[in-house]
Amino acid sequence: MEDFTALLKKHNLKVTPQRLKIITMLHAHGHINIEDLFSEIREEFPNVSLATIYKNIHQMTESGLVREVKIPSLKSVYEVAKEPHLHMVCDKCHKVEDIVLDTDKIIEEAEKVSGYKIEESFITLRGICPECRHK
Amino acid sequence: MEDFTALLKKHNLKVTPQRLKIITMLHAHGHINIEDLFSEIREEFPNVSLATIYKNIHQMTESGLVREVKIPSLKSVYEVAKEPHLHMVCDKCHKVEDIVLDTDKIIEEAEKVSGYKIEESFITLRGICPECRHK
DNA sequence: TTTTTAAAGGAAAAATATTTTCTTTTAAAA
DNA sequence: TTTTAAAAGAAAATATTTTTCCTTTAAAAA
């Protein structure tokens, strides 16, 4: 169990019940879109405003606590920032999973080919997850 | 010079002046967002509707003629579909470039780690382009 | 502890973005 | 040529995101 209160403080964000709920949800789901986040939070906070969700997600993204993940043909999802990783998206069940892989080789190769100094990579792979494949 | 008329026909899309302009623009820019596409097309077709742009981009994407490229912190851009490639985005000048790289190794590794059967990869790398770096 | 205050929440409106509807126009088949 | 199915354009509808403004509250200061 993580200490989300400390995490919010570390990012200079006031600790509010709504914020704790948002970050708890992000962590529990791994990845969640705005719409689903709003629906779920409204179960516990019936008066929460969609603007609160948007404002918080924006602040948390700005502060580096949260990351937006843009996925082809799906709505953006959000995740609590952690070590660099790739995203796997299942074409059947549409779940999004993280995997950690060494990307040094391909980054190095890309720098060589492009002449860019690469700061960050965003890698999403789509296909069929093991569960859907074996159904 | 490419034959966009033939390309549209191949995708069972009626050849209209607006469509030819859209696909010509996409090809000329490499990557362009809806807003810029609309502005530029309106120079030649002052009465073109934004709905026409959206409807066509949607159809062309559906038919596989065009690809949407979702890029972190930028608006989506569109490109004429071609061989698989990576996207490089410059943090300074925000240009988007394609590079072709062999990704077999990392895909294979990802399949091993995740158990997924991967169908397609989306790789975007952000950093500083050679031009901005040497300024 | 209270008091103070700067930030956050909520409601509504505004701004943006995208899609749909409906009528007119047009590319292309007959 | 006609015919017709699809596309264009205009406007309205819908969806998404941001802003505004007033109230509430977390947390710093007294």
Side-chain angles (χ1 to χ4, degrees):
Chain A
M1 180 60 194
E2 305 215 8
D3 184 354
F4 296 127
T5 295
L7 200 52
L8 286 173
K9 284 181 177 162
K10 197 174 96 184
H11 287 264
N12 300 309
L13 296 171
K14 213 156 90 172
V15 179
T16 67
Q18 293 86 343
R19 269 186 187 152
L20 279 171
K21 180 73 183 181
I22 288 171
I23 192 169
T24 302
M25 295 294 313
L26 290 175
H27 185 259
H29 282 263
H31 307 89
I32 190 168
N33 67 37
I34 294 285
E35 195 183 346
D36 293 346
L37 190 60
F38 179 56
S39 309
E40 287 220 34
I41 290 178
R42 208 165 33 170
E43 287 174 18
E44 184 172 338
F45 299 91
N47 295 324
V48 76
S49 166
L50 191 49
T52 297
I53 308 294
Y54 275 109
K55 283 186 281 197
N56 275 296
I57 286 291
H58 185 258
Q59 288 171 320
M60 290 175 178
T61 303
E62 287 284 286
S63 79
L65 172 51
V66 162
R67 286 266 165 75
E68 177 182 9
V69 184
K70 290 187 174 183
I71 296 174
S73 75
L74 293 183
K75 292 184 189 177
S76 282
V77 294
Y78 297 84
E79 65 184 12
V80 180
K82 51 167 203 165
E83 64 172 335
H85 57 271
L86 286 68
H87 293 109
M88 309 294 305
V89 187
C90 180
D91 287 338
K92 282 267 179 64
C93 66
H94 306 120
K95 79 176 155 208
V96 180
E97 292 184 81
D98 297 343
I99 65 169
V100 176
L101 225 68
D102 180 19
T103 56
D104 290 356
K105 280 274 179 51
I106 200 158
I107 301 297
E108 195 187 306
E109 182 71 8
E111 289 194 328
K112 201 180 301 174
V113 170
S114 67
Y116 277 59
K117 174 70 183 66
I118 296 173
E119 302 293 344
E120 193 179 8
S121 65
F122 306 97
I123 304 183
T124 297
L125 307 176
R126 73 163 183 82
I128 312 289
C129 74
E131 292 69 35
C132 287
R133 206 133 62 92
H134 299 135
K135 245 176 237 163
Chain B
M1 182 59 195
E2 305 215 7
D3 184 355
F4 296 128
T5 295
L7 200 51
L8 286 174
K9 283 181 180 163
K10 198 174 96 184
H11 288 263
N12 298 311
L13 296 170
K14 213 157 92 173
V15 180
T16 68
Q18 293 87 343
R19 270 186 185 151
L20 278 172
K21 180 72 182 182
I22 288 171
I23 192 168
T24 301
M25 296 293 313
L26 290 175
H27 185 259
H29 281 263
H31 307 87
I32 190 167
N33 66 39
I34 294 284
E35 194 184 346
D36 294 346
L37 190 59
F38 179 55
S39 309
E40 288 219 34
I41 291 177
R42 208 166 31 171
E43 288 173 18
E44 185 172 337
F45 299 91
N47 295 323
V48 75
S49 165
L50 191 48
T52 297
I53 308 294
Y54 276 110
K55 281 186 282 195
N56 274 296
I57 286 291
H58 184 259
Q59 288 171 319
M60 290 175 179
T61 303
E62 287 284 287
S63 79
L65 172 52
V66 162
R67 285 266 165 73
E68 177 181 9
V69 184
K70 290 187 174 183
I71 295 173
S73 75
L74 293 184
K75 292 183 189 177
S76 282
V77 294
Y78 297 84
E79 65 184 13
V80 180
K82 50 165 202 165
E83 64 172 335
H85 57 272
L86 287 67
H87 292 110
M88 309 293 306
V89 187
C90 180
D91 288 338
K92 283 267 179 64
C93 67
H94 305 119
K95 80 175 154 208
V96 180
E97 293 183 81
D98 296 344
I99 64 170
V100 176
L101 225 68
D102 179 20
T103 57
D104 290 356
K105 280 274 180 48
I106 200 158
I107 301 297
E108 196 187 304
E109 182 71 8
E111 290 194 327
K112 201 180 301 173
V113 170
S114 68
Y116 276 60
K117 174 71 184 68
I118 296 173
E119 301 293 343
E120 192 178 9
S121 66
F122 306 96
I123 304 183
T124 298
L125 307 176
R126 71 163 184 82
I128 313 289
C129 73
E131 293 69 34
C132 287
R133 205 135 61 93
H134 298 136
K135 247 176 233 164

